[in-house]
Amino acid sequence: MGKLKTFYSANSIKNFLQSEFQDQNIGFVPTMGALHHGHLSLIDRSNEENDITVLSIFVNPKQFNNPEDLEKYPRKIEEDLALLDHYGSQVIVFIPEVDDVYPKDFTSVNIDLGELATTMEGEFRPGHFQGVVDVIYRFYEILHPTRAYFGEKDYQQLAIMRFMVEKCGLEKEVVGCDIIRENSGLASSSRNFRLSEKDKQDALVIYNSLSKAKELAKDHSISEIKEMVKRNFENSTLELEYFEIVHPHTLRFLNEWVPGARACIAAFCNGVRLIDNMQLT
Ligand code: PAF
């Protein structure tokens, strides 16, 4: 097996893929680095389904509405490359600069994301999804992947990625992959690097609330479950930003149960914003 290849410019990776992998299936795993088991599971899935996997590491400034969040986002390029090393030539790493992703003549993708982007993450992180759409569209232009892999942890993002492909008529498959959790139940996330052991312990109120909601969904109403979760957070050190139970495809807030209903949650743990979700029914 050959060595891991790393590209730092859009032109160089574009030319390389065009000459070496034309007519082959390219799997794309977009990341912002600080890699963890969740990312590795996306790579493994992509490797199973494609001839080659391209993984991008790019902390996308456009999707951060809060400058402090952007500044504090974990950056661990050396560790990331060490973690990827054993994939050898099966994985190509793309680590572009901001000016290369967003050249002077860059214009935002002009699609109406509609209701999908106005609630939950869309409400509390204005502009976030436009930033995600912009960066992923640009990566699609550079890499021409056959399939792109996104974790279900960012459930709303995954729905928007599917919507974008359809709306823009892009011939790509968007593959959603299961949430990977630490043994405790805490969802794997790059942001976990910012948590102490105590924070991680405290943060379990998120997973525990979701699990309890799933258990209670059998014989309780949606409003009863929302009350229960609110109380759980009042008795914790975390600050709940939202807890919603939504339709699995439209993401509309539900008042009555439907099959596949999803609970989505965002909360601050010692200043670190965490999100998670779970299918309840
Ligand atoms: O989920 C993420 O890490 C980011 O939103 C993504 C998809 C890499 C786009 O910057």
Side-chain angles (χ1 to χ4, degrees):
M1 184 169 57
K3 278 177 68 169
L4 189 77
K5 270 201 168 54
T6 308
F7 289 86
Y8 296 90
S9 90
N11 268 340
S12 60
I13 194 164
K14 193 172 180 167
N15 292 338
F16 176 77
L17 291 174
Q18 265 168 11
S19 70
E20 303 286 322
F21 292 96
Q22 212 181 19
D23 302 326
Q24 298 205 46
N25 289 329
I26 298 175
F28 174 41
V29 177
T31 83
M32 298 205 293
L35 302 180
H36 50 71
H37 287 294
H39 295 120
L40 301 185
S41 77
L42 302 183
I43 300 174
D44 292 339
R45 174 90 181 261
S46 169
N47 280 340
E48 275 167 29
E49 298 176 352
N50 301 283
D51 299 302
I52 189 80
T53 296
V54 177
L55 175 133
S56 62
I57 300 180
F58 179 65
V59 181
N60 174 28
K62 266 186 188 280
Q63 70 185 74
F64 285 83
N65 57 311
N66 175 348
E68 194 188 332
D69 194 23
L70 171 62
E71 191 204 318
K72 291 195 168 155
Y73 199 85
R75 289 161 171 89
K76 298 179 171 290
I77 289 287
E78 295 308 317
E79 288 98 318
D80 290 346
L81 291 175
L83 208 58
L84 295 172
D85 202 49
H86 77 277
Y87 289 107
S89 54
Q90 186 55 38
V91 171
I92 296 170
V93 189
F94 180 35
I95 313 178
E97 296 289 337
V98 176
D99 293 350
D100 205 6
V101 176
Y102 300 119
K104 284 209 167 55
D105 59 354
F106 176 84
T107 49
S108 271
V109 180
N110 187 10
I111 51 168
D112 181 4
L113 299 173
E115 278 184 48
L116 276 182
T118 55
T119 61
M120 301 192 289
E121 295 304 286
E123 178 184 349
F124 289 97
R125 301 185 71 191
H128 168 68
F129 286 124
Q130 183 65 49
V132 175
V133 163
D134 282 345
V135 78
I136 295 299
Y137 193 94
R138 177 80 178 113
F139 281 137
Y140 285 167
E141 270 179 353
I142 299 168
L143 306 169
H144 295 287
T146 319
R147 301 186 181 88
Y149 294 79
F150 296 89
E152 281 195 342
K153 186 175 80 69
D154 295 280
Y155 194 77
Q156 197 172 7
Q157 169 173 278
L158 173 61
I160 288 173
M161 291 296 98
R162 291 204 163 106
F163 178 82
M164 164 185 156
V165 160
E166 203 187 304
K167 191 94 175 173
C168 299
L170 306 174
E171 285 181 9
K172 310 209 171 306
E173 198 183 317
V174 171
V175 184
C177 301
D178 289 347
I179 297 175
I180 302 296
R181 299 184 180 279
E182 298 186 1
N183 287 339
S184 62
L186 180 68
S188 293
S189 165
S190 302
R191 290 169 191 266
N192 295 354
F193 283 110
R194 293 181 54 202
L195 302 177
S196 67
E197 282 313 309
K198 164 154 189 331
D199 294 338
K200 282 190 172 186
Q201 201 55 39
D202 290 354
L204 286 182
V205 64
I206 297 177
Y207 176 68
N208 292 340
S209 296
L210 290 170
S211 306
K212 190 76 189 163
K214 189 177 174 75
E215 192 188 314
L216 295 185
K218 294 179 197 94
D219 50 12
H220 286 73
S221 70
I222 288 181
S223 55
E224 282 169 334
I225 287 179
K226 285 181 139 179
E227 267 312 303
M228 177 281 291
V229 170
K230 233 172 91 188
R231 275 199 309 276
N232 267 358
F233 276 84
E234 281 162 7
N235 296 325
S236 81
T237 59
L238 271 73
E239 192 190 319
L240 182 64
E241 192 166 61
Y242 64 76
F243 172 80
E244 299 295 350
I245 297 179
V246 302
H247 186 281
H249 306 306
T250 65
L251 305 190
R252 286 207 186 113
F253 296 165
L254 296 174
N255 297 315
E256 302 291 335
W257 292 114
V258 298
R262 277 258 160 187
C264 299
I265 200 165
F268 285 91
C269 176
N270 201 5
V272 181
R273 190 172 184 281
L274 302 173
I275 60 172
D276 200 348
N277 65 83
M278 194 177 276
Q279 182 177 333
L280 300 189
T281 53

